[in-house]
């Protein structure tokens, strides 16, 4: 047996365990708290949690091992993670991270000798309009430059608690540049619920249907249909589903605020300044489907929003907009609980999100059955995007016709776009659906734009020849990311960044995605290293086909999109990097000697091949 | 009235609650698979059993059979894709068929033969994975694990021990065991456990039985995995005799 480093673990964890009770579905929240307290999850904590929750030890270890922000290995007292989206790259995050590492005498990915600090990268943190960004022990840092990093290094060296750092380091602004009906009109809390109660439940569902509201997470499923299925479903513990509107099983409303798609940050802004609108939309949804409990699944990167959002919920409870008998309506009870993620893009997939809500590894479920009939704890569950609920609140207030009057026939209403990259005015833009890429670029100052990555890496790459295309489900569907690249950008770099992203975020459940994303990453590394050949391009296309046709969920299906799109639209960016050979091995003989050179301290001519 | 689906043009009867795989197995039709075992709840992770239903790819082990489905399985296109998945499984781990004591009884190897795999095609990852020989009767060699979770399911659902679980994610996924030390020797596993009989590769082996039956006389030395399955129900893992 290894020596026990935490003999007092029971005592140290007892406040955490007490706070969360012996509820296994709180496991992820418990692990987050342990990580905050001890800076990692030691084996003793795994054992302690497992015995308190009455679940096997390996289940606890499995969950702790799944999420990026949890660590089973001793980590630094300060964990600094640099956001590594392509937009951060374009703003010089890599150079800044190196500068910071040198300053603190640490190597990227390693904990310093004195266990004080570790520095590494993480996936996009949702601050693309104010990058380069980072997280320190889970708290968002923005607008990094050398001066700020000097200050941060000093704060770490003097062991100042993160809570006492200067607030300006953590300042996050909304950057709303264009408002339309969703963001523009003043909204009075409770007005949409009142209108819904007056109109009636079925009538409100009819309005949502008439509005033709489609999910804002990108897939565009009709919200009214989802709500109808959920309302109609009577889930049984096991087995089949009977459809019966008269039944009354427990149902759930889940707001998907796991905004992990690189380049998107609109949900951050909605939750910062329009939280009432979002919660109101959830409450209307609850009324329509008959749910009494809701969850806001908040991505770990937005940890700093937790207390402000809790305050909004408290205020709404006090105003009678949440809790029992909402606005005096007998039997209308609904409340919302916030659940924090811990660094896993896959949890934006609705069934993986539900697994995570239940305190498990974020693995997408087999479908059918679908969450509308068998969701959270096997009960009918609606999972909708933050923006969808905000739009639903507006429909609840103004009705379906008002909503459907905006946008295009298949894409009614407006869309929030998170614009970043090579533009002079990055931020949030709200447009009626149907707006052209060209128009958007004009508005945000993307004059030299050569390409736009729409809807993030899993979306579509649009070249300058296609700037006449429209943002709409009929043409370019989007969850909201709009990353702009000007003429001088090497588009290979973006595709390269995105392949690393998908390999890092694959949950590892299915063979094609687990291995395919890693193979894709290795080939892109080979090309980036100057060892690529035409055969590698063929292999990328081949892998792209397998990922698209054989993967378990949307992550795998879209993981090859950036590579395939870039190969199709910017073939030159790959070809310029290739060696003019039919075949070139990935194995680099000279590179293999690097470790030996490091150990011997030699780097002369004879130490190279 | 029994309901039917069509698999590669052949009418196959099924009853409600059955998956496409269930119906196929009952009809003696082989659809390649590794993570599936009819004794356990379907998992759908290896994706070898992917079939085309009405033009869309689905995992046949998890997709319910529905009246009138037109299923394509034994096609050149699907078998080529299954071959790539098998190659992926070989390169992500360290599989040493010629020296493996499971050789000839190994489903991964047998599927590779069935699909005509002649090379790994991709560069090997050569991952560093731990071998756990701490248990007196049982060996866990993570080099050969393909994350099918059959041992996880068997240990949890049949043995009632939950000895195995997965941790990590993506390509960093690992098989972990239920003990504070992280070693198999400190768990309650026994060589007679169901978990020991279901591994489709040589990741979990009962010690001192490796060559009780010589290579050349083993299950897939004489029959392809397809022919073996059509004769006998799926029960190959751990069969060393």
């Amino acid at each position: 047996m290894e020596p026990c480093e935490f003999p007092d673990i029971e005592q140290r964890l007892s406040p955490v365990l007490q706070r969360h009770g012996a509820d296994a579905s709180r496991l992820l929240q418990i692990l987050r708290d342990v990580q905050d307290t001890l800076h990692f999850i030691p084996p003793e904590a795994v054992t302690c949690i497992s015995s308190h929750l009455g679940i096997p030890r390996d289940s606890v270890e499995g969950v702790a091992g799944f999420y990026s922000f949890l660590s089973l290995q001793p980590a630094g007292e300060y964990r600094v993670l640099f956001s590594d989206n392509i937009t951060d790259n374009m703003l010089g995050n890599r150079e800044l991270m190196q500068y910071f590492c040198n300053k603190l005498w640490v190597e990227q990915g390693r904990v310093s000798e004195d266990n004080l600090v570790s520095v590494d990268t993480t996936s996009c943190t949702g601050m693309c309009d104010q990058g380069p960004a980072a997280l320190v022990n889970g708290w968002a840092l923005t607008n990094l430059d050398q001066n700020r990093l000097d200050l941060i290094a000093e704060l770490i060296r003097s062991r100042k608690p993160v809570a006492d750092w200067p607030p300006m380091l953590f300042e996050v602004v909304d950057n709303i540049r264009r408002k339309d009906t969703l963001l523009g009109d003043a909204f009075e809390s409770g007005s949409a619920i009142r209108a819904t109660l007056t109109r009636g439940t079925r009538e409100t569902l009819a309005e949502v249907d008439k509005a033709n509201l489609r999910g804002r997470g990108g897939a565009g499923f009709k919200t009214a249909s989802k709500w109808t299925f959920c309302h109609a479903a009577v889930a049984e513990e096991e087995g089949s589903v009977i459809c019966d509107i008269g039944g009354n099983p427990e149902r759930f409303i889940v707001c998907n605020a796991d905004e992990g798609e690189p380049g998107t940050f609109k949900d951050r802004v909605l939750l910062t300044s329009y939280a009432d609108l979002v919660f109101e939309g959830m409450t209307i949804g609850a009324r329509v489907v008959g749910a009494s409990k809701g969850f806001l699944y908040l991505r770990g990167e937005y940890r700093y929003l937790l207390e402000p959002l809790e305050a909004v919920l408290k205020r709404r409870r006090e105003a009678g907009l949440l809790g029992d008998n909402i606005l005096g309506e007998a039997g209308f009870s609904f409340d919302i609980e916030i659940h924090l993620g811990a660094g896993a893009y896959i949890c934006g997939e609705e069934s993986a999100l539900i697994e995570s809500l239940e305190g498990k590894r974020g693995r997408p479920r087999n479908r059918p059955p679908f969450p509308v009939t068998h969701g959270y704890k096997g009960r009918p569950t609606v999972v909708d995007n933050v923006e969808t609920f905000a739009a639903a609140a507006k429909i609840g207030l103004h009705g379906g016709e008002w909503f459907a009057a905006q946008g295009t026939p298949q894409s009614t209403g407006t869309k929030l776009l998170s614009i970043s990259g090579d533009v002079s005015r990055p931020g949030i833009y709200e447009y009626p659906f149907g707006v052209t890429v060209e128009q958007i670029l004009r508005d945000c100052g993307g004059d030299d734009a050569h390409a736009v990555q729409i809807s993030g890496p899993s979306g579509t790459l649009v070249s300058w020849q296609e700037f006449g295309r429209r943002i709409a489900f009929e043409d370019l569907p989007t969850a909201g990311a709009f990353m702009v690249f000007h003429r001088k950008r090497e588009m290979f770099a973006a595709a390269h960044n995105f392949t690393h992203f998908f390999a890092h975020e694959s949950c590892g459940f299915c063979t094609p995605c687990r291995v395919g994303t890693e193979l894709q990453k290795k080939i892109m590394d080979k090309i980036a290293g100057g060892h690529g050949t035409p055969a590698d391009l063929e292999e990328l296309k081949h892998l792209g086909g397998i990922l698209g046709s054989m993967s378990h969920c949307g992550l795998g299906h879209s993981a090859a999109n950036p590579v395939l799109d870039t190969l199709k639209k910017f073939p030159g960016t790959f070809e310029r990097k290739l060696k003019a050979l039919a075949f070139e091995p990935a194995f680099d003989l000279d590179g293999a000697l690097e470790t030996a050179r490091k150990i011997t301290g030699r780097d002369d001519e004879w130490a190279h091949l | 009235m029994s309901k039917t689906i069509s698999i590669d043009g052949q009418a196959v009867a099924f009853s409600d609650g059955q998956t496409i795989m269930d119906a196929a197995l009952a009809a003696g039709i082989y659809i390649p698979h590794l993570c599936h075992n009819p004794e356990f709840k379907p998992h759908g992770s290896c994706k070898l059993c992917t079939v085309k239903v009405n033009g869309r790819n689905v995992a046949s082990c998890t997709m319910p059979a529905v009246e009138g489905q037109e299923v394509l399985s034994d096609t050149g296109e699907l078998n080529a894709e299954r071959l790539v998945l098998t190659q992926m499984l070989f390169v992500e781990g360290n599989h040493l068929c010629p020296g493996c004591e499971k050789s000839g009884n190994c489903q991964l190897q047998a599927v590779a033969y069935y699909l005509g795999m002649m090379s790994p095609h991709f560069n090997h990852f050569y991952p560093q994975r731990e071998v756990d020989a701490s248990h007196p009767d049982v060996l866990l060699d993570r080099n050969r694990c393909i994350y099918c979770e059959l041992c996880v399911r068997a240990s949890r659902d049949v043995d009632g021990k939950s000895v195995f679980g997965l941790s990590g994610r993506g390509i960093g996924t690992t098989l972990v065991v239920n003990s504070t030390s992280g070693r198999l020797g400190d768990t309650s596993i026994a060589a007679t456990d169901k978990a020991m009989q279901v591994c489709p590769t040589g990741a979990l082996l009962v010690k001192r039985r490796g060559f009780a039956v010589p290579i050349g006389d083993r299950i897939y030395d004489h029959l392809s995995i397809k022919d073996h399955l059509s004769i006998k129900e799926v029960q190959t893992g751990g069969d060393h005799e």
Side-chain angles (χ1 to χ4, degrees):
Chain A
M1 287 287 282
E2 276 87 22
C4 186
E5 299 205 15
F6 294 91
D8 57 345
I9 196 76
E10 288 278 346
Q11 215 177 327
R12 295 183 74 160
L13 295 196
S14 112
V16 173
L17 290 163
Q18 256 173 19
R19 189 158 63 244
H20 295 288
D23 183 358
S25 63
R26 305 283 306 164
L27 176 58
L28 181 54
Q29 309 304 296
I30 293 170
L31 289 168
R32 282 196 58 106
D33 286 355
V34 175
Q35 173 85 31
D36 280 348
T37 317
L38 306 174
H39 308 299
F40 81 116
I41 319 273
E44 297 87 342
V46 176
T47 308
C48 171
I49 295 167
S50 124
S51 70
H52 275 269
L53 299 187
I55 51 176
R57 204 185 172 282
D58 46 10
S59 301
V60 179
E61 194 178 342
V63 173
F66 187 83
Y67 296 89
S68 284
F69 296 162
L70 304 176
S71 174
L72 285 160
Q73 305 303 322
E77 211 173 300
Y78 295 88
R79 192 175 184 206
V80 182
L81 297 172
F82 281 77
S83 177
D84 199 32
N85 184 26
I86 184 68
T87 54
D88 296 288
N89 291 172
M90 282 150 56
L91 293 164
N93 75 323
R94 287 282 172 155
E95 295 75 14
L96 283 171
M97 182 172 71
Q98 198 49 55
Y99 173 82
F100 189 60
C101 285
N102 294 347
K103 187 127 196 125
L104 285 166
W105 279 63
V106 290
E107 232 181 289
Q108 183 199 335
R110 305 278 280 270
V111 185
S112 63
E113 299 280 331
D114 55 359
N115 284 330
L116 180 65
V117 60
S118 67
V119 179
D120 211 339
T121 57
T122 186
S123 301
C124 181
T125 60
M127 300 289 163
C128 312
D129 56 334
Q130 43 209 308
L135 297 168
V136 55
N137 292 354
W139 298 86
L141 296 162
T142 52
N143 294 309
L144 293 176
D145 56 21
Q146 290 197 355
N147 287 337
R148 287 192 171 206
L149 289 173
D150 288 344
L151 171 61
I152 291 167
E154 205 36 58
L155 291 163
I156 289 175
R157 272 205 211 97
S158 59
R159 294 182 184 259
K160 194 156 190 162
V162 174
D164 300 337
W165 289 17
M168 65 96 174
L169 289 172
F170 303 102
E171 198 188 5
V172 179
V173 292
D174 276 356
N175 280 331
I176 299 174
R177 312 278 185 179
R178 189 184 194 282
K179 292 180 177 182
D180 214 296
T181 50
L182 190 69
L183 304 180
D185 307 338
F187 177 77
E188 191 201 327
S189 285
S191 58
I193 300 177
R194 248 177 234 114
T196 301
L197 291 175
T198 311
R199 189 190 293 119
T201 309
R202 279 166 192 269
E203 291 73 13
T204 298
L205 183 57
E207 290 299 321
V208 178
D209 189 28
K210 210 186 291 169
N212 198 19
L213 172 64
R214 296 172 67 173
R216 268 32 180 170
F221 194 77
K222 249 190 104 165
T223 306
S225 307
K226 201 186 264 186
W227 290 12
T228 306
F229 288 142
C230 180
H231 180 246
V234 176
E236 294 172 341
E237 283 300 327
E238 294 279 330
S240 61
V241 175
I242 310 153
C243 283
D244 171 15
I245 296 232
N248 189 29
E250 207 176 3
R251 296 175 176 91
F252 295 93
I253 289 278
V254 178
C255 178
N256 182 348
D258 189 66
E259 184 174 42
E261 191 70 42
T264 177
F265 46 87
K266 59 163 182 91
D267 293 348
R268 181 196 88 208
V269 174
L270 282 171
L271 293 170
T272 304
S273 303
Y274 297 84
D276 271 304
L277 198 58
V278 177
F279 292 142
E280 189 121 347
M282 289 176 72
T283 312
I284 293 172
R287 178 68 177 169
V288 169
V289 308
S292 57
K293 171 119 198 186
F295 292 98
L296 176 77
Y297 188 100
L298 184 65
R299 70 187 303 223
E301 287 83 346
Y302 295 165
R303 161 71 186 83
Y304 72 98
L305 284 173
L306 179 63
E307 285 80 13
L309 287 168
E310 293 283 13
V312 175
L313 289 176
K314 183 163 177 275
R315 181 164 49 68
R316 291 183 70 84
R317 276 178 209 122
E318 285 162 5
L321 300 173
L322 285 174
D324 290 332
N325 306 323
I326 291 172
L327 288 177
E329 178 82 9
F332 180 18
S333 299
F334 178 66
D335 211 332
I336 297 169
E337 185 182 317
I338 301 176
H339 178 102
L340 266 177
Y345 166 75
I346 188 63
C347 292
E349 195 278 345
E350 62 174 354
S351 66
L353 183 149
I354 290 170
E355 289 280 300
S356 184
L357 267 183
E358 292 179 358
K360 301 176 188 157
R361 293 160 65 78
R363 177 182 76 69
R365 292 177 176 174
N366 286 309
R367 293 187 285 188
F370 292 86
V372 281
T373 56
H374 294 71
Y376 180 68
K377 296 191 172 168
R379 307 290 172 178
T381 303
V382 160
V383 183
D384 275 326
N385 186 262
V386 175
E387 191 182 345
T388 312
F389 282 120
K394 288 279 173 138
I395 294 166
L397 183 61
H398 299 297
E401 257 169 57
W402 167 84
F403 191 85
Q406 313 154 79
T408 72
Q410 282 308 308
S411 316
T412 53
T414 63
K415 184 77 195 88
L416 299 188
L417 298 176
S418 317
I419 302 186
S420 63
D422 294 319
V423 297
S424 50
R425 292 178 296 280
I428 297 295
Y429 290 73
E430 184 189 2
Y431 286 101
F433 271 111
V435 63
T436 62
V437 173
E438 200 168 22
Q439 174 71 47
I440 300 166
L441 286 169
R442 256 203 306 276
D443 295 348
C444 67
D447 306 330
D448 275 338
H450 194 53
V452 183
Q453 184 74 35
I454 310 255
S455 201
S458 70
T460 317
L461 178 66
V462 166
S463 81
W464 82 100
Q465 289 149 309
E466 313 166 84
F467 284 174
R469 293 180 67 180
R470 292 173 188 280
I471 300 292
F473 293 106
E474 297 95 320
D475 187 7
L476 288 170
T478 177
F482 193 96
M483 292 187 275
V484 181
F485 302 88
H486 70 47
R487 207 173 307 152
K488 292 196 181 114
R489 296 288 178 197
E490 189 65 271
M491 292 311 294
F492 176 84
H496 189 201
N497 176 281
F498 296 153
T499 53
H500 274 253
F501 168 75
F502 284 121
H504 184 258
E505 297 298 341
S506 166
C507 81
F509 173 71
C510 75
T511 312
C513 181
R514 182 179 68 241
V515 189
T517 54
E518 189 69 14
L519 282 166
Q520 191 174 249
K521 175 180 124 183
K522 283 174 190 281
I523 295 170
M524 290 295 276
D525 284 350
K526 184 187 173 196
I527 298 171
H531 295 281
T533 67
D536 291 310
L537 301 190
E538 288 312 306
E539 193 67 88
L540 284 172
K541 290 178 198 163
H542 179 220
L543 278 173
I546 298 281
L547 275 160
S549 66
M550 306 297 267
S551 294
H552 181 64
C553 78
L555 189 153
H557 292 150
S558 54
N561 287 0
V563 166
L564 299 179
D565 274 3
T566 314
L567 270 171
K568 197 163 103 196
K569 295 175 183 177
F570 296 93
T573 189
F574 280 84
E575 283 157 13
R576 278 192 291 279
K577 293 205 171 302
L578 300 184
K579 277 204 168 185
L581 295 167
F583 175 75
E584 164 88 4
F587 185 68
D588 173 9
L589 272 175
D590 185 61
L593 291 175
E594 189 53 38
T595 315
R597 281 194 289 269
K598 257 193 189 157
I599 293 169
T600 55
R602 273 183 62 180
D603 200 21
D604 56 278
E605 188 189 341
W606 295 97
H608 284 272
L609 285 169
Chain B
M1 271 293 278
S2 78
K3 300 175 179 175
T4 58
I5 56 174
S6 127
I7 301 180
D8 294 327
Q10 181 185 336
V12 174
F14 75 96
S15 48
D16 282 335
Q18 278 193 315
T19 61
I20 294 172
M21 175 70 83
D22 293 334
L25 282 175
I29 295 172
Y30 175 62
I31 302 175
H33 59 269
L34 287 168
C35 73
H36 185 67
N37 178 325
E39 292 180 54
F40 296 95
K41 200 175 160 213
H43 194 53
S45 69
C46 77
K47 300 298 172 194
L48 255 74
C49 75
T50 301
V51 293
K52 214 177 252 314
V53 178
N54 303 336
R56 271 190 60 223
N57 279 1
V58 297
S60 59
C61 69
T62 57
M63 181 56 65
V66 175
E67 176 71 44
Q69 270 169 341
E70 302 266 345
V71 179
L72 292 178
S73 172
D74 193 12
T75 69
E77 183 190 337
L78 281 167
N79 284 327
E81 291 182 317
R82 289 170 183 147
L83 171 63
V84 177
L85 296 183
T86 311
Q87 288 168 323
M88 286 180 172
L89 289 171
F90 271 92
V91 299
E92 75 158 335
N94 297 302
H95 293 275
L96 308 153
C97 293
C100 177
E101 60 199 78
K102 190 72 172 280
S103 187
N105 284 338
C106 169
Q107 289 184 28
L108 177 66
Q109 185 192 44
V111 164
Y113 277 131
Y114 173 77
L115 293 169
M117 180 173 141
M118 302 301 281
S119 81
H121 179 78
F122 302 107
N123 290 318
H124 281 282
F125 289 10
Y126 297 118
Q128 294 204 359
R129 296 191 188 167
E130 276 180 42
V131 177
D132 185 342
S134 60
H135 194 281
D137 303 321
V138 166
L139 176 79
L140 166 60
D141 182 354
R142 293 185 175 85
N143 288 295
R144 304 175 231 192
C145 178
I146 57 168
Y147 313 114
C148 68
E149 292 190 48
L150 274 165
C151 62
V152 177
R153 287 176 272 169
S155 184
R156 181 189 62 210
D157 302 341
V158 180
D159 304 328
K161 296 181 181 176
S162 292
V163 168
F164 300 100
L166 291 191
S167 187
R169 81 164 186 230
I171 202 69
T173 302
T174 55
L175 186 69
V176 293
V177 302
N178 196 1
S179 68
T180 318
S181 64
R183 284 191 291 263
L184 204 54
D186 296 322
T187 68
S188 56
I189 195 161
T192 49
D193 281 0
K194 186 73 181 176
M196 292 306 301
Q197 296 159 25
V198 292
C199 181
T201 73
L204 270 175
L205 295 165
V206 178
K207 287 181 177 175
R208 294 176 294 279
R209 280 171 64 191
F211 296 93
V213 176
I215 289 176
D217 288 341
R218 297 182 173 188
I219 301 167
Y220 307 116
D221 290 335
H222 299 287
L223 281 174
S224 81
I225 191 164
K226 174 187 176 184
D227 295 333
H228 179 258
L229 274 180
S230 56
I231 291 169
K232 183 173 169 282
E233 255 212 7
V234 195
Q235 185 44 270
T236 55
D239 283 354
H240 291 263
E241 39 274 306

